[in-house]
Amino acid sequence: MPAIHGTGVGQGVAQGSVARMADGLAAPDDAPSTRTPDEEKAAVAEAVQAVAAELNARGERAGGSARDVLEAQAMMAEDPTLEETVHAKIDAGATGEYAVHRAFAEFAEQLQALGGYLGERAADLADVAQRVIAHLRGVPAPGVPEPGHPFVLVATDLAPADTALLDLDQVLAVVTTEGGPTSHTAILAREKGIVAVVGTGSAELADGQTVIVDAAQDLVIADPTDEQLREAAERAAARKAAAAAPITPGALADGTPVPLLANLGSADGAAEAVALGAEGVGLFRTEFLFLSSDEAPSVEAQQESYRRMLAAFAGKKVVVRVLDAGADKPLPFLTDAAEENPALGRRGIRALAHRESILRDQLTALARAEAETDADVWVMAPMIATVDETEYFTALAKELGLKTAGVMVEVPSSALLAEEILKTADFASIGTNDLVQYTMAADRLLGSVAHLQSPWHPAALRLIKMVGDGGAANGKPVGVCGEAAADPLLAVVLVGLGVQTLSMSPSALADVRAELKNHTLDDAKRIAQAALRAANADGAKSAARDAA
Ligand code: PEP
Ligand code: MG
């Protein structure tokens, strides 16, 4: 069978037998019941009991926070108000299936209207309804299968609740037919270190079929040969050994240091990042702390959050990004929800300049947190597009007591202007996720344009080179903090283009560290030149592979 192409997440390779996630059930129709109301009620009661027992049993097995989630779901299934509503609908002539479908949907709508924590439970209720209906129909329940042995999970896509509950001892790898490199599944897989290939299109994989999931090569191989299985097992073992190798500072084969930093969204992941060898933080996404806040956070609340993060990195560099609100990360207190095209609207530094008091508060909180700790704080602004914005932001940051102020290069104009921008900014950090989105005019969240979103595209690489050159001309440091830095070979290319530090999800540090050690600075420059000359992303990748 030919290999199935998709987008690999991370550099792992795994093998095992497929267990497919059952697709969602078709909604039951409103045909009148042919059974008596008592028969319908008895069938529903039995299905509800079975589902509650199954959820409780899964909770027992999972333990921890998963148990709480599953026990809460089991309680929902047996909620007496819901039962009354189901009975009333059956008495009015509905089938058990239709009564469950409608009653749960109405209850979910009520929860959604309440918003907040209860609103978020609406999705759980839909999941319970699907389980009960599946039971009534005698078909497998949708959701993560439990074949009773480790397996490769194949799904259309994973809901956040599914991914949160994945049992990492059982799931060897994940393959999804939908989703792009920045989909929820991809982000979670990367965070948890799960081998995954996403966006494969209609993958014809059957339960029990043996596959190799090769994230490094963006491939799934069905029915592999013994030779392919052996080669994959060897690579998996080598990768495990590399991950267990002693952690050394990031450096090329000739000793050129390339500090490897962590991307973090809260202080919670700090200890793990340090354990994995992060030499500091290259991107602290502060907006993640306030995604559900309706009001701008106080200086005091921010100071405390930042202090916690900085305390974990005493003596190290921590690059903090001021709030990047808008488009994929709206903040209710900062984002104009009425914009028709928020990716091109008043987002990032534009939103902060418009509401300067919020920016002033954040910079003040950061300066105070820095004074309380020994971390070396660098601050940067997202979505900088002009020299004027650079001058505005760096002047304000310094006025409020921060000594190192830089910019993110995520908009092509700022790459084109890098030499001028870096006359003012103390440093630049290239956000390749957005830089690729804006260079290629391809929404980073949209699977249908995923083929245009590769940071390997020579158009993006040429812009990155301009930033590297702009840094060299001004003697200012340039880093990368987008997902591109987590791709080991691309990391080498980035260094060859003039990038000096790389920041990534901590789970990617070991692979990048290992790859850098294979190349000198001269090698990296040569590999980068080969990639730059290519006509498209695939060409750049294979040119770099050949040159390496
Ligand atoms: C980027 O755009 O590459 C980046 C690092 O910022 P974010 O992913 O948070 O938009
Ligand atoms: Mg960005």
Side-chain angles (χ1 to χ4, degrees), residues 233-512:
E234 275 168 20
R235 271 175 50 215
R239 196 162 171 263
K240 206 164 160 196
I247 291 172
T248 49
L252 296 172
D254 56 14
T256 308
V258 183
L260 299 179
L261 312 169
N263 289 355
L264 291 174
S266 81
D268 295 342
E272 198 198 354
V274 172
L276 291 169
E279 295 167 62
V281 176
L283 170 62
F284 180 22
R285 292 181 160 109
T286 57
E287 62 283 351
F288 279 20
L289 298 170
F290 308 112
L291 283 177
S292 51
S293 308
D294 288 329
E295 286 170 21
S298 67
V299 172
E300 290 70 27
Q302 292 188 68
Q303 186 178 339
E304 176 51 21
S305 297
Y306 304 150
R307 192 197 55 73
R308 273 187 63 214
M309 162 62 86
L310 297 179
F313 290 94
K316 301 212 168 99
K317 174 167 112 176
V318 178
V319 184
V320 179
R321 169 169 81 188
V322 293
L323 297 172
D324 182 18
D328 50 326
K329 289 169 297 202
L331 292 180
F333 57 89
L334 196 52
T335 312
D336 176 358
E339 284 178 351
E340 278 204 9
N341 200 347
L344 301 181
R346 193 188 271 156
R347 59 169 304 193
I349 188 64
R350 304 169 190 175
L352 289 170
H354 179 65
R355 302 282 305 281
E356 193 183 285
S357 62
I358 294 179
L359 178 55
R360 282 182 172 270
D361 279 357
Q362 184 171 27
L363 293 169
T364 303
L366 202 50
R368 288 186 190 165
E370 179 177 26
E372 286 182 283
T373 63
D374 293 327
D376 178 18
V377 174
W378 294 24
V379 65
M380 64 183 180
M383 305 300 300
I384 290 283
T386 67
V387 176
D388 291 348
E389 285 170 350
T390 309
E391 288 170 353
Y392 164 77
F393 175 72
T394 54
L396 194 63
K398 295 201 173 167
E399 177 196 321
L400 294 170
L402 290 149
K403 58 183 187 314
T404 311
V407 297
M408 284 192 78
V409 175
E410 307 180 275
V411 180
S413 64
S414 64
L416 295 163
L417 292 169
E419 190 169 336
E420 286 69 30
I421 283 179
L422 279 160
K423 287 195 169 83
T424 303
D426 292 323
F427 68 97
S429 180
I430 306 173
T432 48
N433 308 336
D434 277 312
L435 185 61
V436 173
Q437 150 163 278
Y438 291 118
T439 302
M440 305 304 295
D443 185 338
R444 63 190 266 189
L445 300 180
L446 199 61
S448 59
V449 290
H451 62 290
L452 293 169
Q453 291 158 348
S454 172
W456 277 99
H457 202 287
L461 299 181
R462 288 181 198 192
L463 289 172
I464 293 168
K465 179 165 191 308
M466 296 185 91
V467 187
D469 290 348
N474 289 286
K476 302 278 178 70
V478 170
V480 167
C481 64
E483 289 301 319
D487 173 335
L489 187 56
L490 186 49
V492 174
V493 169
L494 296 173
V495 172
L497 295 174
V499 166
Q500 289 129 31
T501 57
L502 299 166
S503 190
M504 63 202 78
S505 307
S507 63
L509 288 164
D511 287 325
V512 174

Side-chain angles (χ1 to χ4, degrees), residues 109-339:
E109 277 161 26
Q110 287 167 18
L111 289 185
Q112 246 156 3
L114 292 172
Y117 175 80
L118 287 174
E120 285 166 22
R121 301 281 71 74
D124 297 348
L125 206 59
D127 179 61
V128 175
Q130 291 258 308
R131 287 176 185 283
V132 174
I133 293 169
H135 207 279
L136 285 167
R137 286 186 191 168
V139 298
V144 178
E146 292 195 48
H149 55 76
F151 61 100
V152 172
L153 176 61
V154 176
T156 307
D157 205 350
L158 296 178
D162 296 326
T163 354
L165 289 173
L166 284 188
D167 177 351
L168 299 188
D169 290 333
Q170 294 292 308
V171 176
L172 301 165
V174 171
V175 177
T176 66
T177 52
E178 297 287 326
T182 41
S183 64
H184 177 88
T185 306
I187 288 170
L188 225 115
R190 195 171 288 115
E191 227 172 76
K192 294 193 167 204
I194 302 174
V195 177
V197 174
V198 300
T200 58
S202 57
E204 301 280 320
L205 297 170
D207 279 329
Q209 196 171 10
T210 300
V211 290
I212 294 174
V213 182
D214 191 341
Q217 314 278 348
D218 302 317
L219 285 182
V220 180
I221 303 169
D223 304 324
T225 62
D226 288 347
E227 179 56 29
Q228 286 173 316
L229 287 169
R230 198 166 37 249
E231 194 257 348
E234 275 168 20
R235 271 175 50 215
R239 196 162 171 263
K240 206 164 160 196
I247 291 172
T248 49
L252 296 172
D254 56 14
T256 308
V258 183
L260 299 179
L261 312 169
N263 289 355
L264 291 174
S266 81
D268 295 342
E272 198 198 354
V274 172
L276 291 169
E279 295 167 62
V281 176
L283 170 62
F284 180 22
R285 292 181 160 109
T286 57
E287 62 283 351
F288 279 20
L289 298 170
F290 308 112
L291 283 177
S292 51
S293 308
D294 288 329
E295 286 170 21
S298 67
V299 172
E300 290 70 27
Q302 292 188 68
Q303 186 178 339
E304 176 51 21
S305 297
Y306 304 150
R307 192 197 55 73
R308 273 187 63 214
M309 162 62 86
L310 297 179
F313 290 94
K316 301 212 168 99
K317 174 167 112 176
V318 178
V319 184
V320 179
R321 169 169 81 188
V322 293
L323 297 172
D324 182 18
D328 50 326
K329 289 169 297 202
L331 292 180
F333 57 89
L334 196 52
T335 312
D336 176 358
E339 284 178 351

Side-chain angles (χ1 to χ4, degrees), residues 33 35-49 77-104 106 132 136:
S33 171
R35 297 196 279 189
T36 69
D38 282 347
E39 285 167 348
E40 292 287 8
K41 286 178 197 170
V44 171
E46 198 241 81
V48 164
Q49 256 176 25
E78 296 184 296
D79 184 281
T81 327
L82 256 171
E83 187 184 17
E84 270 173 34
T85 318
V86 171
H87 284 186
K89 291 184 187 304
I90 291 176
D91 287 334
T95 60
E97 275 184 32
Y98 190 73
V100 166
H101 170 65
R102 284 306 313 151
F104 276 66
E106 285 164 19
V132 174
L136 285 167

